[in-house]
Amino acid sequence: MLIDLADAEPATSGGKAAVLARLLEAGLPVPPGFVVPTAVYEHATEGFDISAAGALRDLAGPSPALIEEIGRALTRITGDGYVAVRSSATSEDTAAATAAGQHDTFLGVSGPDQVADAVRRCWASLWSGRAVEYRRWQADADSPSIAVLVQRLVDADVAGVMFTGADVRLEASWGLGESVVSGQVTPDSWRLSGSTITHRTLGTKKTRIDRDHTGVVTREVGPAGRERFCLTDDEVTRLADIGRQTADLLGGPQDIEWAITGSQIWILQARPVTSALPAGPPAAADTTHGSEVRSGTPASPGSAAGSARVVCGPGDFARVRPGDVLVCRTTDPAWTPLFGVVAAVVTETGGLLSHAAIVAREQGIPAVLAVPDATTVLPDGAMVEVDGSTGRVALLGTWPRTSTR
């Protein structure tokens, strides 16, 4: 029933796994793995009404026979090690939409029973509220199917994301890449033209995510780790070379997740770039003509003005109104429905290649990330203007010095 990752094809194994199979065939560094194919999901969901969000919460997991097969496959790819269990749906990682973060991923999973439960939860996430809403935005009327990719977990020293194109844009932080793609940290960043590094910015990197037994844990990064770049120039140029090889093989600019352990670079995911990155550098803060300007990372181009809505968590979602400017520490996939309501997004952490930035670009709304203390310096209810092309966030007119929340 299982398919070796090297044999994955889009129809049986979804987009994510099929692309990795192509990279493996070309000799690029991809961790070994296997796929629970779409046919297994389709058999498991026979008789379920999957027309509504949350329809698969009570879905049973893989059969005992499949769990035994999973156990044998785990021994082959990891011995007694740990794996990452990730969705590979037929509707994600396409040239039109990434579905970034819409389906669940589980890191640090060990043993056939835990993997089987993670597979079941990946299946169910195809019909989560956020995934259904995301497909509605994309006007995707087809009923998707889902395979599940199981790969040996890379216990990364450093990990991150890069975009290839005319230039290569690269972001990285300590530990597993989840902290970068989720926007939990403001990562180090580089820009390369050819083999030349033309720009580098030191991020804050206050925390890191690492495997901790069967799961992950977030730890503080000490001052020494925060104050130095997490990659050497040689590592940056090596990553860029692999990124260009990947883009050449796949026929266009790619959004690539990668990890490094020791001196080994691994490619974890590659998908088409669905929207261009802002070209401009971050703007400088100033206070002129009665308005106060803050600066951050220009993450999604365009300009919009609206009432700042400071959101600390899901409990605040009901306060958000159409045309508001979402102001928060960071976002995660559960926040995706807000991107269809607000006029712009401002966060305190994150980079160009994080969840908030990718979804904002796909939705065509301005976004500025990594604005220090945004949730306190942009008072709730104040009128703000967000320029996602330059990274400028301006408070308009007069405003209260403390939040009115």
Side-chain angles (χ1 to χ4, degrees):
M1 286 182 279
L2 301 179
I3 296 173
D4 188 86
L5 177 57
D7 299 322
E9 297 178 351
T12 62
S13 304
K16 185 182 283 115
V19 166
L20 292 176
R22 292 185 63 187
L23 301 185
L24 272 171
E25 183 180 17
L28 289 166
V30 175
F34 61 87
V35 179
V36 182
T38 55
V40 177
Y41 159 80
E42 289 160 4
H43 177 74
T45 56
E46 283 180 352
F48 272 81
D49 177 6
I50 56 175
S51 60
L56 300 184
R57 288 194 190 98
D58 299 324
L59 181 66
S63 67
L66 182 56
I67 293 173
E68 287 186 16
E69 189 175 351
I70 287 172
R72 292 191 294 272
L74 289 173
T75 299
R76 175 174 56 82
I77 68 168
T78 71
D80 293 327
Y82 297 89
V83 294
V85 182
R86 311 176 73 190
S87 68
S88 183
T90 56
S91 59
E92 67 182 320
D93 292 352
T94 69
T98 64
Q102 300 312 304
H103 309 131
D104 286 342
T105 291
F106 302 94
L107 305 176
V109 182
S110 178
D113 290 334
Q114 289 187 10
V115 170
D117 184 60
V119 168
R120 180 191 63 80
R121 294 163 72 184
C122 282
W123 288 343
S125 72
L126 184 65
W127 294 97
S128 68
R130 67 175 185 258
V132 170
E133 181 70 6
Y134 181 87
R135 292 195 295 271
R136 186 184 67 79
W137 290 344
Q138 298 297 331
D140 186 354
D142 295 334
S143 182
S145 188
I146 188 169
V148 179
L149 171 62
V150 181
Q151 280 182 289
R152 188 176 69 202
L153 181 71
V154 177
D155 277 325
D157 301 315
V158 181
V161 185
M162 63 177 152
F163 269 34
T164 67
D167 290 345
V168 173
R169 310 282 284 272
L170 193 150
E171 295 184 339
S173 191
W174 304 113
L176 299 175
E178 178 66 17
S179 61
V180 177
V181 299
S182 66
Q184 293 183 40
V185 299
T186 300
D188 297 339
S189 63
W190 295 261
R191 186 169 186 161
L192 296 92
S193 179
S195 59
T196 302
I197 299 172
T198 59
H199 185 78
R200 57 172 64 83
T201 301
L202 185 68
T204 52
K205 309 185 300 296
K206 293 181 179 180
T207 60
R208 60 181 290 163
I209 297 175
D210 296 288
R211 180 184 60 79
D212 181 40
H213 303 295
T214 55
V216 295
V217 63
T218 300
R219 299 186 175 98
E220 293 290 323
V221 173
R226 298 182 190 186
E227 294 166 7
R228 67 183 177 93
F229 284 97
C230 61
L231 293 173
T232 65
D233 286 357
D234 177 66
E235 288 170 327
V236 170
T237 54
R238 285 171 58 208
L239 280 162
D241 286 344
I242 290 175
R244 293 190 186 96
Q245 292 177 52
T246 301
D248 289 345
L249 177 69
L250 299 178
Q254 297 293 305
D255 168 358
I256 300 168
E257 294 182 24
W258 54 268
I260 298 178
T261 179
S263 61
Q264 175 66 56
I265 295 173
W266 296 99
I267 299 174
L268 306 181
Q269 178 173 303
R271 58 193 179 194
V273 172
T274 55
S275 51
L277 301 179
D286 62 53
T287 53
T288 58
H289 302 99
S291 69
E292 183 168 314
V293 178
R294 306 288 173 172
S295 65
T297 299
S300 181
S303 178
S307 179
R309 193 61 58 217
V310 178
V311 174
C312 298
D316 291 331
F317 286 4
R319 300 176 53 249
V320 179
R321 298 288 181 265
D324 283 351
V325 172
L326 173 63
V327 180
C328 56
R329 194 188 74 80
T330 188
T331 70
D332 65 39
W335 296 50
T336 302
L338 297 182
F339 286 68
V341 175
V342 299
V345 177
V346 179
T347 71
E348 292 184 343
T349 63
L352 275 172
L353 312 181
S354 64
H355 164 266
I358 290 172
V359 176
R361 289 193 294 271
E362 287 189 349
Q363 293 301 308
I365 60 174
V368 177
L369 276 53
V371 177
D373 302 316
T375 58
T376 54
V377 300
L378 301 176
D380 190 83
M383 286 298 296
V384 297
E385 183 176 45
V386 178
D387 189 332
S389 301
T390 65
R392 297 167 71 90
V393 181
L395 279 162
L396 303 178
T398 60
W399 62 91
R401 289 292 178 178
T402 59
S403 173
T404 59
R405 294 179 68 241

